[in-house]
Amino acid sequence: MRKEISVMHKLRALKYRYGEMAGDVVWSGIADLLTIIAQTASFILLGRNLGPDRYGGYVGMFGIIGPLGALSWSGLTLLVMQQILGQRQTPNTVARNALTLLIAQTIFASTVSIAIAMLVIKGLSTTEIVLLTLVELAAAPVVMITAGIRQAVEGFPQAARLRIGLVLCRSLSLVGLYLVDALTIRNLAITWLAVISLYSLYCLARIWPRLGLTPLPGRPSRSMLVANGQLSLPMASGTLQQDGDKAVLNGFNLTTDAGLYGAAFRIILMAQLPVQTMNTALFHRFLGDNEDVMGQHTRRAVRFSFVSFMGSIPIALAIWLVAPILSIILGDDFAGSVDIVRWLAPFIPLLAISSAPLNGLLGLNKNGVRAAVVVSSSVLAMALYLTLIPIFSWRGAAIGTLIAQVYVAAAGWYLLIKTERSIDAERTEDAATKAATAGAAAS
């Protein structure tokens, strides 16, 4: 009887400990599955309609928008969660301050994006450049910031629903234009801007009040500005490392190669979504810090990385084997992407082992250390792109991407282990000092 009670108690404990986590992973999986479907449809329809040269300009544009978007709003999604969950700040104060930062950073990032794209991207018109910039840097960020706040206040499933809505806005617009034979970059950007802007207004007018938030700008503190920079800069640097090669290929007038490379990299990004699903669903679990538990963030990072890595290996092998299907899906014009996919396949397991240690550094509140890792890796990547791409074209881009990701993994793990050991040693020493002081006072 006691044995049965003990077993039931353990089962309840496991359900309590892992039930919510499993639910978060399921919701993240649903969101990412819909993202895969939407990206696949976008990839196939746009690839077939545009061809490698025009598609190269399109992905090159996102090589510029991506880092600036990370700088202007991606870091804010992490910041609001860290401020609410980690720093225990009032959600309404955090939300209003984040809105102020979002407005200022959107204006700056949009201006810079348009200016750079008009110099570098030869395959798109000025109208297309402006419209795509407004979609990605002005309309969509409101939804993502709202999702970050909602994840901190209500939980991951509620946030996932908002992100799913954004995916549906994009995919339904794309399919609708395709069905009426009006799918062009210009028409797609106009439709996205209209639909996503309405969705953003819905978030501000309905979701914010429902969460007890006032959709008005606040006054960010100096500490929040610093934290925003420490989070946004690494996000921008990481995106620059991942997408900067497409912009550099365009900059050296290798537009066709940029289209082939962009198509191959899209396959890699879709393949690594299962790894990203786990990272997204479990990210907020790194933010808690129990001072009484030694080595908690390193153990958590090891545990999550092991699961991600073991799942990434068969995915990478499968991608390497089925790479020839790319030319069947997009046509013979994209046959050159097959070799590129195989060159980039190792990126998936490298990503699987590099995300968790960076999240662990956030849990230790070492934003600056984390920023140093990611920023230095992007500097390394861009140096490799600028050096290798003029000589080796897409092969130089692939080599730079893989070397930079190896660097992120190695530096992240080294600094997480070193930093946590140092912090644990300080806490142990402080605890011993307090205990000795208390004993002396008692005597």
Side-chain angles (χ1 to χ4, degrees):
M1 184 67 178
R2 289 181 180 178
K3 186 176 180 180
E4 291 178 0
I5 294 174
S6 177
V7 170
M8 292 298 295
H9 178 75
K10 289 180 179 179
L11 290 175
R12 291 193 189 98
L14 287 172
K15 181 180 179 181
Y16 175 79
R17 184 176 181 182
Y18 295 108
E20 183 182 353
M21 183 185 300
D24 289 350
V25 173
V26 168
W27 270 105
S28 183
I30 293 171
D32 286 340
L33 176 61
L34 291 175
T35 300
I36 290 174
I37 295 171
Q39 288 182 348
T40 302
S42 171
F43 175 53
I44 294 173
L45 297 180
L46 284 175
R48 282 188 170 276
N49 274 32
L50 300 179
D53 193 61
R54 187 108 161 102
Y55 188 72
Y58 178 76
V59 297
M61 183 67 206
F62 280 88
I64 296 170
I65 290 176
L68 289 169
L71 187 65
S72 65
W73 65 265
S74 293
L76 277 176
T77 61
L78 302 184
L79 180 63
V80 295
M81 286 190 283
Q82 187 184 55
Q83 293 272 305
I84 295 172
L85 294 174
Q87 305 298 323
R88 306 296 181 185
Q89 299 292 320
T90 305
N92 190 44
T93 301
V94 173
R96 293 186 60 189
N97 293 343
L99 185 60
T100 300
L101 292 173
L102 178 62
I103 293 170
Q105 292 170 178
T106 293
I107 294 172
F108 171 77
S110 298
T111 303
V112 174
S113 173
I114 292 169
I116 295 176
M118 290 180 67
L119 292 174
V120 175
I121 305 301
K122 306 299 191 295
L124 300 182
S125 68
T126 301
T127 300
E128 291 167 338
I129 287 171
V130 172
L131 288 171
L132 287 172
T133 297
L134 293 177
V135 170
E136 302 301 331
L137 300 183
V142 175
V143 180
M144 298 305 293
I145 297 298
T146 304
I149 298 169
R150 197 172 190 184
Q151 182 170 339
V153 175
E154 292 186 324
F156 187 84
Q158 291 77 9
R161 290 169 195 153
L162 282 181
R163 297 185 180 108
I164 289 171
L166 185 58
V167 172
L168 291 176
C169 286
R170 293 181 185 276
S171 56
L172 293 177
S173 299
L174 177 75
V175 173
L177 289 172
Y178 176 77
L179 291 177
V180 298
D181 197 24
L183 182 57
T184 65
I185 293 177
R186 182 175 179 274
N187 291 345
L188 183 61
I190 291 173
T191 307
W192 274 350
L193 184 59
V195 173
I196 295 175
S197 293
L198 288 174
Y199 190 40
S200 298
L201 290 174
Y202 166 78
C203 288
L204 292 174
R206 297 295 300 273
I207 303 298
W208 279 50
R210 195 179 300 166
L211 297 174
L213 311 176
T214 306
L216 294 172
R219 295 184 63 182
S221 64
R222 187 174 183 277
S223 62
M224 188 173 185
L225 292 174
V226 172
N228 178 53
Q230 290 175 335
L231 290 172
S232 297
L233 188 58
M235 293 287 287
S237 299
T239 309
L240 181 64
Q241 175 186 326
Q242 182 172 290
D243 293 332
D245 44 7
K246 292 87 170 172
V248 174
L249 283 164
N250 275 271
F252 284 105
N253 293 319
L254 299 167
T255 309
T256 300
D257 281 355
L260 296 173
Y261 186 84
F265 206 85
R266 176 62 65 184
I267 294 294
I268 296 299
L269 290 179
M270 288 189 290
Q272 60 89 30
L273 271 174
V275 175
Q276 194 62 39
T277 294
M278 179 171 292
N279 186 56
T280 302
L282 304 179
F283 164 76
H284 63 284
R285 299 180 184 278
F286 281 90
L287 299 179
D289 183 36
N290 187 344
E291 295 187 3
D292 296 328
V293 180
M294 302 291 104
Q296 58 184 303
H297 294 285
T298 299
R299 287 196 301 273
R300 190 178 294 136
V302 169
R303 190 163 60 246
F304 291 162
S305 290
F306 177 76
V307 176
S308 297
F309 180 75
M310 295 306 294
S312 70
I313 294 299
I315 294 174
L317 290 174
I319 286 298
W320 196 92
L321 291 172
V322 303
I325 200 173
L326 188 60
S327 60
I328 299 174
I329 295 174
L330 295 182
D332 292 337
D333 288 342
F334 283 88
S337 295
V338 174
D339 286 341
I340 305 176
V341 169
R342 287 175 168 168
W343 273 63
L344 291 172
F347 179 79
I348 300 172
L350 286 173
L351 183 67
I353 61 174
S354 60
S355 298
L358 297 181
N359 290 342
L361 288 170
L362 279 183
L364 290 169
N365 203 28
K366 293 297 180 180
N367 297 353
V369 177
R370 179 181 183 273
V373 174
V374 183
V375 171
S376 59
S377 72
S378 70
V379 172
L380 172 62
M382 288 304 296
L384 291 169
Y385 297 154
L386 293 170
T387 302
L388 299 176
I389 284 176
I391 303 172
F392 302 109
S393 187
W394 63 261
R395 290 178 178 83
I399 292 169
T401 296
L402 295 175
I403 291 176
Q405 200 61 38
V406 169
Y407 170 83
V408 171
W413 279 108
Y414 171 75
L415 289 172
L416 173 62
I417 295 169
K418 179 181 177 181
T419 302
E420 186 159 39
R421 284 178 177 174
S422 176
I423 291 174
D424 286 347
E426 290 178 5
R427 288 174 176 173
T428 301
E429 185 177 344
D430 289 343
T433 302
K434 289 178 181 178
T437 303
S443 60

